[in-house]
């Protein structure tokens, strides 16, 4: 478990003033590979105002502390960026959406495939989402057979 200083530094690294609600939200968002949606954050932080959560997420995105993932489920999910990530195409990584538990994971060590675009197209971002079963669900479902 990380102490409070760890999260203060993460905010300061992105030039975000650490406030108690920002720290609280960041702490909940920092869950390894697993991404989290705004409705989930609202559910686990019932004491935090919904508008505070949405404003804080927007701020985190603006400062590239977190990145958004469109996994096709209709709800954006978010995960904390590595400290050296600038959210450019160079830092794009593979995401994995589990069709059974609807969780989305950042596979930060798997770079996205590079495609060469026809003349005139300029690449700004890549949304590369693989779908299937996460290890937990794959195991659970294989027991049922
Ligand atoms: Zn799953
Ligand atoms: Zn990611």
């Amino acid at each position: 478990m990380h102490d409070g200083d760890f999260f203060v530094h993460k905010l300061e690294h992105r030039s975000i003033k650490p406030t108690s609600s920002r720290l609280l939200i960041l702490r909940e968002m920092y869950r390894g590979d697993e991404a989290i949606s705004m409705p989930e954050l609202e559910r686990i932080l019932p004491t935090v105002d919904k508008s505070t959560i949405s404003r804080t997420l927007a701020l985190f995105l603006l400062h590239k502390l977190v990145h958004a993932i469109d996994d096709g489920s209709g709800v954006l999910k978010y995960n904390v960026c590595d400290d050296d990530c600038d959210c450019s195409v160079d830092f794009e990584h593979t995401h994995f959406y589990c069709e059974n538990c609807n969780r989305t994971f950042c596979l930060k060590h798997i770079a996205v495939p590079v495609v060469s675009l026809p003349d005139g197209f300029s690449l700004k971002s890549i949304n590369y989402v693989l779908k299937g079963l996460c290890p937990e669900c794959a195991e659970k479902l294989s027991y049922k057979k």
Side-chain angles (χ1 to χ4, degrees):
M1 210 39 216
H2 295 284
D3 62 8
D5 272 0
F6 175 83
F7 294 103
V8 170
H9 288 144
K10 267 205 139 11
L11 288 174
E12 286 175 343
H13 176 70
R14 298 290 179 175
S15 310
I16 301 169
K17 202 170 145 249
T19 63
S20 58
S21 57
R22 287 170 187 168
L23 284 165
L24 195 66
I25 292 166
L26 177 59
R27 201 183 270 273
E28 288 303 334
M29 294 185 82
Y30 197 80
R31 38 175 66 199
D33 292 343
E34 198 184 324
I36 187 167
S37 68
M38 183 128 67
E40 272 177 86
L41 271 175
E42 291 172 354
R43 193 174 49 77
I44 52 180
L45 293 170
T47 58
V48 182
D49 200 58
K50 283 183 185 183
S51 65
T52 303
I53 293 178
S54 72
R55 266 187 289 116
T56 303
L57 264 178
L59 180 81
F60 285 2
L61 275 172
L62 187 70
H63 287 256
K64 300 179 175 22
L65 174 64
V66 302
H67 60 282
I69 305 144
D70 181 359
D71 58 17
S73 68
V75 183
L76 285 179
K77 300 210 174 89
Y78 303 89
N79 202 357
V80 181
C81 293
D82 288 342
D83 281 346
D84 61 347
C85 170
D86 63 4
C87 292
S88 66
V89 169
D90 290 343
F91 282 91
E92 297 281 4
H93 50 261
T94 299
H95 291 113
F96 191 97
Y97 175 71
C98 176
E99 293 175 318
N100 188 55
C101 65
N102 303 314
R103 289 185 299 168
T104 297
F105 301 87
C106 285
L107 306 179
K108 285 188 177 155
H109 300 293
I110 306 180
V112 299
V114 179
V115 293
S116 50
L117 287 167
D119 281 349
F121 290 89
S122 96
L123 183 66
K124 287 279 194 285
S125 70
I126 302 171
N127 185 31
Y128 192 63
V129 181
L130 306 180
K131 297 186 181 187
L133 294 173
C134 71
E136 251 173 69
C137 290
E139 203 185 349
K140 245 186 275 170
L141 293 177
S142 71
Y143 281 136
K144 281 192 195 150
K145 272 183 199 156

